[in-house]
Amino acid sequence: GTLPADQQTAQMIQNMLKPAGIEVKLEKVEVAALDEQTKSGNFEAALAYWSGRQDPDQSIYDWVYSTGTMNSSHYSNPDVDKMLDEARVETDNTKRKAIYDQVMKIIQEDIPYVYLYHGNNTLGVSKAVKGFTYIPDGMIRTVNISK
């Protein structure tokens, strides 16, 4: 990406890999170009963001399902696909969590992505603001907010 934080993160990774003999050449690209490169597989490594969602399906399915729309690693594991399909229709939260726990164990072994960090979203809201509901995905919904 083109943001200073993107460059700093990339430079940190570059410097951490150098002692292992891995040379990283950084390429600054606009978001649309990066999206196209990752979808087409025209990259060796990319820095991507996802704020996460409350439901695990929205934070994992599209990223690791074989035909997922955001599966830029082109990861494909039929067992993971089957479990993700099962989790999508499971209504018992305890059973659903157990399925996602199994998926995460496989993903942690297969390593289709290297998860670097999760940002800390800090915000404040005046008492004059009404209708604000905090949702821990970093996105502020303004539809019900008033002053």
Side-chain angles (χ1 to χ4, degrees):
T2 58
L3 298 174
D6 295 341
Q7 292 302 301
Q8 291 169 347
T9 301
Q11 289 168 347
M12 178 189 68
I13 294 166
Q14 181 184 46
N15 289 329
M16 290 174 78
L17 292 175
K18 193 177 286 185
I22 301 170
E23 184 180 335
V24 176
K25 179 184 170 199
L26 303 178
E27 180 183 0
K28 212 188 274 192
V29 295
E30 297 295 326
V31 173
L34 178 62
D35 188 47
E36 183 56 40
Q37 287 178 349
T38 56
K39 283 182 179 175
S40 68
N42 183 23
F43 71 102
E44 291 184 33
L47 187 60
Y49 300 94
W50 185 248
S51 61
R53 299 294 181 266
Q54 289 179 300
D55 188 296
D57 179 76
Q58 296 170 320
S59 290
I60 194 169
Y61 189 93
D62 286 334
W63 290 90
V64 300
Y65 197 82
S66 294
T67 57
T69 58
M70 296 176 4
N71 186 355
S72 56
S73 72
H74 302 273
Y75 176 70
S76 181
N77 183 320
D79 293 332
V80 168
D81 289 352
K82 182 178 182 281
M83 285 186 275
L84 288 174
D85 285 336
E86 290 171 4
R88 276 196 147 177
V89 297
E90 179 57 63
T91 57
D92 181 305
N93 282 337
T94 302
K95 291 178 183 175
R96 194 166 184 249
K97 182 185 180 310
I99 296 169
Y100 284 119
D101 287 346
Q102 287 180 294
V103 168
M104 290 310 298
K105 282 182 184 177
I106 295 169
I107 289 172
Q108 288 170 351
E109 290 178 18
D110 290 350
I111 314 173
Y113 296 93
V114 176
Y115 300 97
L116 299 176
Y117 63 89
H118 188 279
N120 182 19
N121 299 315
T122 305
L123 55 99
V125 179
S126 166
K127 290 180 182 180
V129 174
K130 305 296 179 212
F132 174 77
T133 302
Y134 175 71
I135 300 174
D137 65 3
M139 297 173 60
I140 297 174
R141 278 82 171 172
T142 59
V143 70
N144 295 318
I145 295 178
S146 63
K147 181 177 176 195

